[in-house]
């Protein structure tokens, strides 16, 4: 039988993990804003609503809709979460 050397595929025993903070510092404001955008499918899951309802809420001004082309639509995750919290707070007050 051949001697199989599997050490090439194994991970090294000591793996240093160094968190690189410089990468977030180098990000521009546009990159930071783009990293916070979510697609329509994710927005529907967050809001637990259908796509037409998500678009309706954006049209009513509860949060902004960012369009890139005709079909590519994004939403700001923070704005949607704030909308959910506001809606939850008003439901508690009633």
């Amino acid at each position: 039988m051949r001697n199989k050397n599997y050490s090439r595929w194994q991970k090294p025993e000591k793996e240093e993990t160094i968190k690189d903070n410089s990468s977030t510092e180098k990000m521009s404001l546009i990159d930071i804003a783009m990293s916070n955008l979510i697609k329509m499918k994710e927005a529907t899951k967050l809001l637990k609503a259908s796509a037409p309802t998500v678009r309706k809420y954006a049209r009513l001004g509860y949060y902004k809709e960012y369009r890139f082309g005709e079909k590519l639509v994004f939403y700001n995750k923070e704005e949607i979460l704030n909308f959910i919290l506001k809606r939850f707070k008003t439901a508690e007050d009633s």
Side-chain angles (χ1 to χ4, degrees):
M1 286 183 76
R2 290 189 317 193
N3 185 11
K4 295 182 181 179
N5 187 3
Y6 291 107
S7 63
R8 289 181 278 174
W9 293 286
Q10 294 177 347
K11 290 184 177 180
E13 291 178 14
K14 292 183 179 180
E15 193 171 307
E16 292 183 28
T17 56
I18 301 172
K19 192 171 182 179
D20 189 16
N21 291 334
S22 63
S23 64
T24 56
E25 292 172 1
K26 292 179 182 177
M27 290 177 66
S28 69
L29 293 175
I30 295 172
D31 293 334
I32 293 169
M34 288 296 291
S35 67
N36 200 23
L37 295 179
I38 58 173
K39 290 186 177 182
M40 169 70 82
K41 191 171 187 176
E42 296 171 41
T44 56
K45 287 180 183 179
L46 276 176
L47 291 168
K48 296 179 184 172
S50 64
T53 306
V54 172
R55 284 193 295 272
K56 175 184 162 186
Y57 290 158
R59 194 175 59 246
L60 291 173
Y62 294 125
Y63 46 81
K64 275 182 114 177
E65 184 176 67
Y66 301 93
R67 288 190 168 269
F68 298 99
E70 193 173 310
K71 291 189 176 184
L72 197 57
V73 181
F74 289 96
Y75 299 95
N76 190 337
K77 189 174 184 175
E78 285 182 31
E79 290 177 357
I80 289 180
L81 292 175
N82 287 337
F83 168 68
I84 293 169
L85 288 174
K86 285 179 188 175
R87 191 171 63 173
F88 180 71
K89 286 179 185 176
T90 57
E92 277 185 346
D93 293 342
S94 299

